[in-house]
Amino acid sequence: MTDISLQRDRLEKPTLIYPFASPPEAGKVIAIAPGVVWMRMPLPMALNHINVWGLEDDDGWAVVDTGMRTDETVAAWRDLFANANEQRPLTRVFGTHMHPDHIGMAGWLTRKFNCRLWMTQLEYLNCRVLTADTGREAPEDGVTFYHSAGWSSSAIENYQARFGNFGKYIHALPNSYRRIQDGEEIRIGANTWRVIVGTGHSPEHACLYCVDLKLLISGDQVLPRISSNVSVHPTEPDANPMRAWLESLAKIKREVPDDVLVLPSHNDCFRGLHARLHYLAASQERTLDRLRHTLKEPRRAIDVFAALFGRSIGETDGSLLNLATGESLACLNYLLHRGEAKIELDETGVARYQMR
């Protein structure tokens, strides 16, 4: 497929409505609705922020997500506490999912205010497992996984050197938590929020939907300007997260009406949920079609980057290579599970995929 045909294959993005002129500055808040405030924490990466949300509770404030464990995030939280109009404590901390930018400060906040962490079970337990890898050597299963994807020896050496970094960006989680589950209704102050679980981006990602306020805290399940990473990981190499991701997009569209204001973890608050959900699903289907075309000939996971992402990805950025490989394998596994593609290992253990 030529570059020109790839350009023509792109969908037109829907026009979303952004009701706020600008996001809050670090250490400040913006009122979104009665008893709901928007805060923003810095991130030390290209995606340089995460949104966190304050929900007024009976005796203080609950927060949803926390930011990554960094000195800059600690300073931002301290500024928020110092600038608050009322010195009211945090009553509980909600984590949408286990990634460090969302849960990194949860242990710090729950200890500071002696409050509970509220989280789904798979997110809590997976986070505990991954943080336990800190200081360990990279497992042989991981080396085999990335070798099979086509990584060079130098890229694998970089993976081995970086292994275990996940826990460096997360304060130790509390040793107990309050489990939340799909469909559960949770009273927070004057409002009730329903848990809507999605999968694909993470094992049991919790969104929070308030019918009365017409708000959806979407976490990373629905973002207005970027698409969340959907990856296969060395711990479960045969997983099919892309199917789970597409099913979750359809589920949110069924369960949440279009008139909500979406409060995402990245970028800005927006209206136009159903149009965005449709675009995300349709865009992924177009991407899978490009992959099918590419797999007319045998390809390694690293050979399909251009078809999936529109560009090649080198080894200089180990984190980006890791994300791209994980998402490539998610797309390849999706076709394998559907019986559309086949996989063969060569004599060195490198996998090649091809349409049947």
Side-chain angles (χ1 to χ4, degrees):
M1 186 176 289
T2 66
D3 289 341
I4 293 176
S5 61
L6 280 171
Q7 291 285 343
R8 290 175 178 169
D9 198 36
R10 288 177 181 166
L11 291 168
E12 183 177 348
K13 291 186 177 181
T15 300
L16 305 178
I17 298 172
Y18 299 96
F20 297 93
S22 60
E25 299 175 6
K28 307 291 185 181
V29 303
I30 291 177
I32 296 295
V36 180
V37 296
W38 177 13
M39 301 166 283
R40 182 166 275 192
M41 296 292 155
L43 291 178
M45 55 187 67
L47 185 60
N48 63 6
H49 70 274
I50 178 172
N51 300 321
V52 300
W53 312 99
L55 309 179
E56 190 169 10
D57 210 349
D58 292 333
D59 302 314
W61 289 84
V63 295
V64 182
D65 288 338
T66 68
M68 185 181 289
R69 178 187 179 178
T70 66
D71 291 341
E72 291 76 16
T73 308
V74 171
W77 275 113
R78 292 193 188 280
D79 285 346
L80 280 167
F81 300 141
N83 295 330
N85 292 330
E86 299 179 9
Q87 296 300 313
R88 300 172 65 190
L90 298 190
T91 58
R92 40 189 160 172
V93 174
F94 287 85
T96 58
H97 61 296
M98 67 177 189
H99 295 154
D101 53 331
H102 297 261
I103 205 67
M105 295 293 292
W108 186 80
L109 290 169
T110 54
R111 290 178 179 89
K112 180 177 179 64
F113 291 96
N114 192 28
C115 61
R116 300 292 298 280
L117 172 63
W118 293 51
M119 202 170 180
T120 61
Q121 185 180 64
L122 288 180
E123 299 293 337
Y124 175 81
L125 294 179
N126 273 277
C127 190
R128 290 285 298 269
V129 168
L130 288 173
T131 55
D133 282 338
T134 304
R136 288 184 58 212
E137 290 187 2
E140 191 59 36
D141 284 2
V143 172
T144 300
F145 177 84
Y146 289 114
H147 173 76
S148 174
W151 281 24
S152 69
S153 57
S154 61
I156 290 175
E157 287 174 3
N158 189 22
Y159 156 71
Q160 292 171 311
R162 292 185 299 110
F163 183 80
N165 282 349
F166 183 93
K168 295 179 181 179
Y169 300 104
I170 297 179
H171 278 276
L173 292 183
N175 291 314
S176 66
Y177 74 111
R178 163 59 159 84
R179 181 184 180 184
I180 61 177
Q181 302 182 67
D182 188 38
E184 179 179 1
E185 295 191 342
I186 302 171
R187 192 75 176 175
I188 304 174
N191 298 297
T192 298
W193 298 77
R194 178 155 56 89
V195 179
I196 299 176
V197 164
T199 54
H201 176 64
S202 64
E204 196 181 1
H205 181 297
C207 302
L208 296 175
Y209 168 47
C210 181
V211 175
D212 292 335
L213 294 176
K214 296 184 178 181
L215 296 178
L216 174 68
I217 298 176
S218 64
D220 278 351
Q221 285 292 134
V222 190
L223 302 172
R225 298 192 181 103
I226 57 177
S227 178
S228 299
N229 179 257
V230 178
S231 279
V232 170
H233 302 285
T235 49
E236 193 179 353
D238 303 310
N240 189 7
M242 188 56 70
R243 176 183 174 181
W245 171 252
L246 292 171
E247 289 176 346
S248 293
L249 295 179
K251 173 184 176 181
I252 294 172
K253 193 172 184 180
R254 288 194 309 270
E255 296 193 9
V256 182
D258 194 36
D259 63 355
V260 295
L261 176 64
V262 183
L263 313 184
S265 288
H266 306 286
N267 309 136
D268 297 335
C269 307
F270 72 96
R271 297 189 185 277
L273 172 66
H274 284 195
R276 181 58 178 164
L277 289 167
H278 173 78
Y279 175 83
L280 287 169
S283 178
Q284 188 60 57
E285 292 294 350
R286 294 284 185 97
T287 298
L288 289 166
D289 282 343
R290 294 197 300 272
L291 178 61
R292 291 180 177 102
H293 186 276
T294 298
L295 294 183
K296 289 181 178 179
E297 301 293 334
R299 307 287 185 189
R300 300 169 299 173
I302 63 169
D303 295 331
V304 302
F305 291 164
L308 297 180
F309 313 119
R311 65 187 181 95
S312 61
I313 295 172
E315 298 180 356
T316 55
D317 187 334
S319 178
L320 183 59
L321 177 64
N322 182 74
L323 291 171
T325 302
E327 186 141 347
S328 295
L329 288 167
C331 293
L332 291 164
N333 279 8
Y334 179 81
L335 298 181
L336 289 175
H337 280 271
R338 288 170 59 91
E340 296 184 55
K342 60 183 179 180
I343 181 175
E344 291 185 1
L345 294 179
D346 67 18
E347 64 278 2
T348 68
V350 175
R352 285 176 171 79
Y353 303 80
Q354 187 174 11
M355 297 300 291
R356 291 186 180 277

